[in-house]
Amino acid sequence: MKILVLEGSPHKKGSSNTLAEQFIKGAEEAGHNVKVLDVAHMNIHPCQGCDACGMRGSCVQNDDMQIVEQEMRSADMVAFVSPIYYFGMSAQLKLVIDRFYSFNSSISGKGLKTVLIAAAWDSNPKTLGYLKDHYLGICNYLGFEDCGMILGTGCGTASMTRGTAHMDAAYKLGKSI
Ligand SMILES: Cc1cc2nc3c(=O)[nH]c(=O)nc-3n(C[C@H](O)[C@H](O)[C@H](O)COP(=O)(O)O)c2cc1C
């Protein structure tokens, strides 16, 4: 299976990418082909809402979203990786999801498998509930099959993250795919 990992943190070696690394290790050991796109550091602009694409055509913007689209089309699974920013995903990841709009009809109902990997400073599980609901709403709308979530509470920094049980959970999630 081809797994596309979309990393949405400005911290290349931060908490969420530390968890993603564990997930990738497990997935690769299980024999999957993993492709990582650090979308937070790619040249991707927000959707302009111009509707020129009609949700099924080319986007008028010529940027790195074309790379994401190409990888999405050939992926069997997408892993969404993000820090928690004000109870939601990072703007860096959200704008990529907004850009799904131009190829919405191609990915909708394709039965794409997905996972969510998120890192928050707070150790209260309620902190991640809002993102969990948002993610599940997107899955429901686009017909994605959720295959698991790593809701990383107490993951304020990469070193804090390495001391949590979320590391092993992320590895096991990858291995179970
Ligand atoms: C703009 C901003 C907003 C944040 N909002 C929250 C929040 O709502 N809840 C929380 O627990 N942590 C919050 N944090 C902390 C980050 O989620 C946390 O430090 C996380 O480990 C960062 O992950 P990263 O290293 O993968 O970027 C916020 C950090 C920033 C910079």
Side-chain angles (χ1 to χ4, degrees), residues 9-11 14-17 82-87 119-122 127 155-157 161:
S9 170
H11 303 131
S15 317
S16 54
N17 288 352
S82 180
I84 289 288
Y85 280 180
Y86 292 94
F87 304 94
W121 193 292
D122 204 331
T127 299
C155 294
T157 62
T161 303

Side-chain angles (χ1 to χ4, degrees), residues 126-153:
K126 282 187 179 166
T127 299
L128 284 138
Y130 304 97
L131 176 59
K132 179 182 169 185
D133 285 351
H134 185 189
Y135 161 74
L136 288 174
I138 293 168
C139 289
N140 185 47
Y141 170 64
L142 287 171
F144 294 164
E145 182 195 334
D146 166 49
C147 295
M149 294 175 232
I150 301 299
L151 303 175
T153 42

